[in-house]
Amino acid sequence: MTGRVGLEPHRYVPQEALFLWALVNPAQPVLVGELGLSALVAEGATFAYAPGWWHFPLSEDLPLLPGHRFTASERGSAPGAIDDARPDRWGERIIRHLDRPPRLSILEMLWFAGDDRFGALGVSLSAEAYVPRALGPYPQLRDLATLSSAIDGLQAQAPIPPEWQRLLQPGVTLGGAQPKALLQTDAGPCLVKFSALDDPVDTPLIEHATMTLAAQAGIQVAATGVLPLPARHGKARHALSIQRFDRAGPYRLHCVSARTALRAARLDERYGALATVLLRLGHPDHQAAMREELFRRMVFNILMDNTDDHERNHSLRLGFDGYYGLAPAYDVVPTLQNLGYQSLAVGSAGAESTLDNALTELREFGLTRPRAIALVQQVARTVDRWEAHFRQHGVCAADLERLRASIDRDALQQQRRDFC
């Protein structure tokens, strides 16, 4: 947290305008512009830059045009990169069920998300001073079991005792509906993810095993750890801690989702299109490595049956040099659905989950076929060791059996064996 004093939620009065601030240096917030409600798009937001903002456009579809008011393109959203600053589905659930604002527009969702959202943007009631929603103090490790119980209660729509409600704070992350919270540690706040009540496996532990396996495949991943929770129905449970990659010491990094970057560039939701964005926005010295890295991720997701690799599960970070870079991989976990297609298109056969498809549009990644095949081989050999790796990380026999039915099914096992 920034330690800044903000307004308590119960004192909030619906506003016709809110104000967007940049918190790259949290000690010195800078006004970016004004947010309002759209008269053209239902429940959508509008945005106009403040006259004094010149530092960088928030995304390519929000160019620095003085006096211009941008409008969201979809119901219930915000323009460009500002949409990445609103709560994910879990955060919105907390706002709706616990905070219960007097109005539920996009402006409330943006403001109630609080001060420590993903990236470098903050939402204030004032254009004169940064006045966010007050949050905190965050739960600490000693609160983990209680926090887990509170999250289970919210999922079950059970009454949450007032002393537990402070533990449930929306925040903002890129991703989806998985239960999560911010936890205060000696190293600063980290994100903690929990299993959903209907998860058939210990998802947090499996995600940690998958992320560490991805690192062995040469993929840059967000640093993760596992935290034990009280057993449920005799089965061990865990939470997943994730080190924040949108922070750099005392500074915050502006981030945009692949969804925002692709829409701003008017490109389809494809891995190859995202590689093209990296070619355009990345530092010339790092473009080749980032596009190769993205290719590795695509191959890994195919072989590990991570078909939830949608455009909000990839993001870009704006560096202090003014160039965007590919953020570390996150939300990488087998989905256990055996769909046979990815969320992002892979190649000329669309979203089909095959390595042959992945090898069809190599020019977009700047790869020769021999180099691409070498990368596929490296990833395939790593994935071929998945079961021993997962067992080493404590994944139980019952969960391994479920995973085997997806990762080792004929369609995937044969593909990786062809390149091992």
Side-chain angles (χ1 to χ4, degrees), residues 283-337:
H283 192 287
D285 293 343
H286 307 309
Q287 291 167 356
M290 289 190 295
R291 294 161 79 197
E292 183 174 290
E293 160 93 4
L294 185 61
F295 182 80
R296 287 180 190 263
R297 295 187 189 186
M298 178 176 69
V299 171
F300 186 83
N301 286 336
I302 290 171
L303 293 179
M304 286 299 295
D305 195 42
N306 174 30
T307 54
D308 193 35
D309 54 342
H310 58 79
E311 66 276 16
R312 287 183 67 85
N313 276 344
H314 305 270
S315 63
L316 309 180
R317 296 184 296 190
L318 181 61
F320 296 119
D321 60 1
Y323 291 96
Y324 279 94
L326 188 63
Y330 57 94
D331 282 2
V332 180
V333 62
T335 50
L336 304 179
Q337 293 179 299

Side-chain angles (χ1 to χ4, degrees), residues 18 108 199 217 261 340 343 358 365 369 371 383 385 400:
L18 292 175
E108 278 68 47
D199 278 358
S343 294
F365 297 93
R369 186 171 180 83
R371 177 57 181 163
V383 172
R385 304 190 299 269
L400 285 172

Side-chain angles (χ1 to χ4, degrees), residues 145-341:
T146 304
L147 175 60
S148 177
S149 297
I151 284 176
D152 288 349
L154 183 61
Q155 292 184 84
Q157 299 184 342
I160 306 297
E163 63 271 20
W164 286 12
Q165 290 188 18
R166 74 168 183 85
L167 303 176
L168 297 172
Q169 301 170 1
V172 170
T173 62
L174 297 177
Q178 197 75 11
K180 58 185 72 72
L182 286 172
L183 192 73
Q184 185 66 41
T185 69
D186 292 341
C190 71
L191 179 67
V192 178
K193 293 173 65 175
F194 299 83
S195 289
L197 286 180
D198 58 354
D199 278 358
V201 295
D202 189 348
T203 301
L205 181 60
I206 290 171
E207 183 168 343
H208 174 64
T210 309
M211 294 276 280
T212 51
L213 185 67
Q216 292 185 8
I219 295 169
Q220 182 187 12
V221 299
T224 59
V226 286
L227 302 169
L229 294 174
R232 181 194 289 145
H233 307 308
K235 184 176 180 181
R237 294 191 302 153
H238 299 84
L240 176 77
S241 65
I242 308 170
Q243 183 177 323
R244 300 193 63 159
F245 55 81
D246 59 333
R247 301 292 187 263
Y251 301 105
R252 294 171 59 162
L253 302 177
H254 179 60
C255 298
V256 298
S257 67
R259 176 180 183 272
T260 292
L262 290 170
R263 292 189 177 196
R266 299 184 179 180
L267 295 174
D268 295 335
E269 294 171 357
R270 300 181 298 112
Y271 276 102
L274 184 55
T276 299
V277 170
L278 293 171
L279 181 63
R280 294 173 54 241
L281 300 182
H283 192 287
D285 293 343
H286 307 309
Q287 291 167 356
M290 289 190 295
R291 294 161 79 197
E292 183 174 290
E293 160 93 4
L294 185 61
F295 182 80
R296 287 180 190 263
R297 295 187 189 186
M298 178 176 69
V299 171
F300 186 83
N301 286 336
I302 290 171
L303 293 179
M304 286 299 295
D305 195 42
N306 174 30
T307 54
D308 193 35
D309 54 342
H310 58 79
E311 66 276 16
R312 287 183 67 85
N313 276 344
H314 305 270
S315 63
L316 309 180
R317 296 184 296 190
L318 181 61
F320 296 119
D321 60 1
Y323 291 96
Y324 279 94
L326 188 63
Y330 57 94
D331 282 2
V332 180
V333 62
T335 50
L336 304 179
Q337 293 179 299
N338 301 2
L339 296 177
Y341 57 87

Side-chain angles (χ1 to χ4, degrees), residues 351-365:
E352 180 184 284
S353 301
T354 65
L355 297 180
D356 286 343
N357 191 23
L359 292 167
T360 58
E361 295 181 348
L362 299 179
R363 292 180 63 182
E364 292 190 299
F365 297 93

